[in-house]
Amino acid sequence: MPALPLGKMAILAVKQIAKPLSKGLKEGAKNSDKLKNYIILPVAQGVHWIDVKVKTSLMGASNAKVYKMNEKLAVEYGAEFISEFFLYALGSGLLLFEYARSARKEEKKEAAIQTTRERLEDQLTRLQNETTESLFVIEQQGAEIRSLQRQIGSLHTEVQKLRSGDF
């Protein structure tokens, strides 16, 4: 029976939990003055500045002045950016985790294959050695059998001579 993909199910659960957390982070960012003034507004203005500079340089006007966004729009934009960044970072982290887990699994599989290969090579070497030894023993026994057959032939000849009276 195949194992349940518990790791993948856990990743899916984390993704589903992350969406409401992201929304909560977005709402909390809008309502907190410290978070709004020290994180959201600077992030929003920075992303806006980069966005405008890239767009204007692509259109050929590289020295265009970038005006700041109004606070309400900047808070919305910054909170949305932070929320999306959170989801992206979480997704990237889960992807890296899954990749590392898969790589470890593949390494274990390769190690098992290598161990099996080494064991089989050792068995093959042992069997080759045993075969060589067996062939040597068979050759020795064949030589002994031929020697015994010659002795039997000689004894048979001597018995024939004794029966016939020719000694």
Side-chain angles (χ1 to χ4, degrees):
M1 183 171 165
L4 291 174
L6 295 177
K8 290 183 181 182
M9 289 173 62
I11 288 171
L12 184 62
V14 168
K15 282 183 179 179
Q16 291 301 318
I17 292 170
K19 288 178 185 176
L21 283 177
S22 176
K23 279 187 176 180
L25 176 67
K26 184 176 171 181
E27 291 303 315
K30 287 180 187 178
N31 298 329
S32 168
D33 285 338
K34 287 182 182 179
L35 193 58
K36 179 171 60 175
N37 292 329
Y38 294 111
I39 295 176
I40 293 177
L41 288 175
V43 166
Q45 296 296 351
V47 172
H48 171 68
W49 185 85
I50 291 170
D51 185 41
V52 170
K53 281 294 186 181
V54 168
K55 285 179 182 177
T56 55
S57 67
L58 287 175
M59 293 189 303
S62 61
N63 58 356
K65 184 171 178 169
V66 179
Y67 294 99
K68 289 191 174 191
M69 299 171 75
N70 69 42
E71 187 175 320
K72 185 177 179 184
L73 187 60
V75 168
E76 187 69 33
Y77 189 64
E80 185 68 30
F81 180 82
I82 290 172
S83 171
E84 291 298 322
F85 180 78
F86 173 73
L87 286 174
Y88 177 77
L90 184 66
S92 297
L94 292 174
L95 182 68
L96 290 174
F97 171 76
E98 182 64 26
Y99 176 78
R101 189 182 69 78
S102 177
R104 281 191 309 271
K105 186 177 179 181
E106 191 64 30
E107 286 174 2
K108 286 180 183 179
K109 186 177 177 182
E110 288 294 326
I113 289 171
Q114 183 64 27
T115 301
T116 302
R117 175 181 279 150
E118 289 172 358
R119 183 178 48 80
L120 289 173
E121 286 175 352
D122 290 344
Q123 281 182 332
L124 179 63
T125 302
R126 184 179 48 80
L127 289 172
Q128 287 174 335
N129 290 339
E130 287 176 2
T131 302
T132 302
E133 290 173 8
S134 296
L135 288 173
F136 181 72
V137 168
I138 289 170
E139 195 174 300
Q140 282 182 327
Q141 288 175 345
E144 288 176 9
I145 288 172
R146 287 188 293 279
S147 173
L148 289 172
Q149 285 175 337
R150 283 192 298 274
Q151 287 177 1
I152 289 173
S154 295
L155 289 173
H156 189 58
T157 305
E158 285 185 36
V159 168
Q160 290 294 338
K161 285 182 186 178
L162 287 174
R163 283 190 183 159
S164 62
D166 296 331
F167 6 154

